[in-house]
Amino acid sequence: MIALHSTVKPRRKPVQSRAWMTTRAIQDAFVLLLVERGYENVSMREIAGVAGVGLGTLYLYFPSKDSIAAVTVRSWMRKQAAILAAAGQAPVPRTLEQTIGDFVAAHVQGVLSQATEWRALVHVERRISSPASYREIYREFVYLLRDAFVAASDWPVALDPQRTAFNAFAMIDAIVEQALLVQDVCPDADELADDVECAVTGYVRAALERSQSVTPAHLAQQDPAPAT
C-alpha cells in the first residue's frame, strides 16, 4: 500500500515462517518503543533488544529505522484495509445507510481499539511517505468503500460511485484522524461513529438531492446551444 523509497526498503523479504516471525517481532518492538519514547529517541539497537534478535540480524532485514517504520505502517494499513473489506461484504443485502453505518463502525473500532499505537504511527507515516504514497493509501480505502456502496440494495444510479466514495472516505478519515491527533482524551467509539455516520449520510443525501434537481424539464429551460 505504501510505495517505499529505495532508502527505506527492507533488505530481505520474509519467505519462511521463521523469517516472517522475526520481522513481525521487529515491527512489534518498533511500535512498542515508538509509543513509549517517540520516533527520534528510538535506536536500532533498542529495537533489536526488545525484539529479541541480534543487531546483525536486524540489519539483515532492515537497513534503517525508516525502513522498519515504512514496513510497519504498511502492515498496519493492510490490517485496517482487511477490516474494512470484511465490513464491506455483507452476507445479506443492505441498504446504503446500513452500509455506511457498518463501514464507519468498522473503521472507528479498528482505529480506536489501538488508538495510542495509531496516533504514533500516523505521525510517522507523514514523515516517511511521499505524496504518491499518500495517494496510493487513499485509493485502497476509497475502492473498498466504492464497492460497498454499489453493492447496496438501494444504491442510487444517479450518483457517481467513485466521486461519492472518495468524498465520503475523506470525511471518515479526517474526522477520525483529527479526533485521534487533536483531542487530549480518546473519544468514545460509539459517539464518534455516530458523528461520522451522520456526516457521511448527510453528504450522500445532499449529493442525491442535488443530482435529482437537474431534471429534463430544467435542462429544457436552458438556452439552446448556438447553431453551427
Side-chain angles (χ1 to χ4, degrees), residues 1-4 73-82 132-138 140-141:
M1 293 175 59
I2 295 180
L4 305 183
V73 170
R74 183 175 61 183
S75 296
W76 278 64
M77 291 291 185
R78 282 179 171 170
K79 180 173 66 174
Q80 185 66 8
S133 301
Y134 192 76
R135 288 193 294 269
E136 186 176 355
I137 296 170
Y138 245 84
E140 180 81 16
F141 290 101

Side-chain angles (χ1 to χ4, degrees), residues 151-217:
S153 60
D154 58 346
W155 171 254
V157 294
L159 291 182
D160 177 354
Q162 182 68 25
R163 176 184 178 186
T164 306
F166 178 86
N167 291 334
F169 185 73
M171 296 168 65
I172 295 169
D173 181 66
I175 295 173
V176 174
E177 184 174 293
Q178 294 309 310
L180 195 67
L181 296 179
V182 176
Q183 296 188 24
D184 294 329
V185 178
C186 184
D188 177 78
D190 291 337
E191 290 182 356
L192 181 59
D194 286 344
D195 290 343
V196 177
E197 184 178 347
C198 285
V200 175
T201 301
Y203 157 68
V204 172
R205 287 175 178 170
L208 181 58
E209 290 175 1
R210 183 176 63 244
S211 68
Q212 292 174 337
S213 67
V214 184
T215 62

Side-chain angles (χ1 to χ4, degrees), residues 10-219:
R11 283 203 171 104
R12 173 183 293 183
K13 293 183 178 180
V15 294
Q16 298 179 350
S17 59
R18 184 175 180 180
W20 185 89
M21 292 175 64
T22 299
T23 59
R24 181 77 266 170
I26 292 170
Q27 293 175 52
D28 290 345
F30 169 75
V31 173
L32 179 65
L33 291 167
L34 177 68
V35 169
E36 289 183 350
R37 306 194 56 195
Y39 189 78
E40 298 295 341
N41 299 318
V42 176
S43 69
M44 291 289 278
R45 186 175 296 278
E46 289 172 320
I47 296 171
V50 174
V53 301
L55 188 59
T57 299
L58 178 63
Y59 277 107
L60 183 65
Y61 287 97
F62 298 100
S64 66
K65 186 171 64 174
D66 280 355
S67 177
I68 299 174
V71 172
T72 302
V73 170
R74 183 175 61 183
S75 296
W76 278 64
M77 291 291 185
R78 282 179 171 170
K79 180 173 66 174
Q80 185 66 8
I83 292 172
L84 297 184
Q89 297 178 354
V92 295
R94 293 178 298 190
T95 65
L96 182 55
E97 288 197 13
Q98 289 172 331
T99 299
I100 293 171
D102 290 347
F103 197 93
V104 167
H107 187 64
V108 171
Q109 291 290 345
V111 172
L112 294 194
S113 63
Q114 295 179 290
T116 303
E117 292 85 351
W118 270 113
R119 184 180 293 113
L121 287 169
V122 167
H123 284 297
V124 171
E125 192 273 336
R126 291 181 173 183
R127 171 194 175 102
I128 65 174
S129 294
S130 67
S133 301
Y134 192 76
R135 288 193 294 269
E136 186 176 355
I137 296 170
Y138 245 84
R139 292 192 188 104
E140 180 81 16
F141 290 101
V142 169
Y143 293 160
L144 289 171
L145 184 55
R146 178 201 62 192
D147 293 346
F149 275 175
V150 298
S153 60
D154 58 346
W155 171 254
V157 294
L159 291 182
D160 177 354
Q162 182 68 25
R163 176 184 178 186
T164 306
F166 178 86
N167 291 334
F169 185 73
M171 296 168 65
I172 295 169
D173 181 66
I175 295 173
V176 174
E177 184 174 293
Q178 294 309 310
L180 195 67
L181 296 179
V182 176
Q183 296 188 24
D184 294 329
V185 178
C186 184
D188 177 78
D190 291 337
E191 290 182 356
L192 181 59
D194 286 344
D195 290 343
V196 177
E197 184 178 347
C198 285
V200 175
T201 301
Y203 157 68
V204 172
R205 287 175 178 170
L208 181 58
E209 290 175 1
R210 183 176 63 244
S211 68
Q212 292 174 337
S213 67
V214 184
T215 62
H218 173 75
L219 294 175

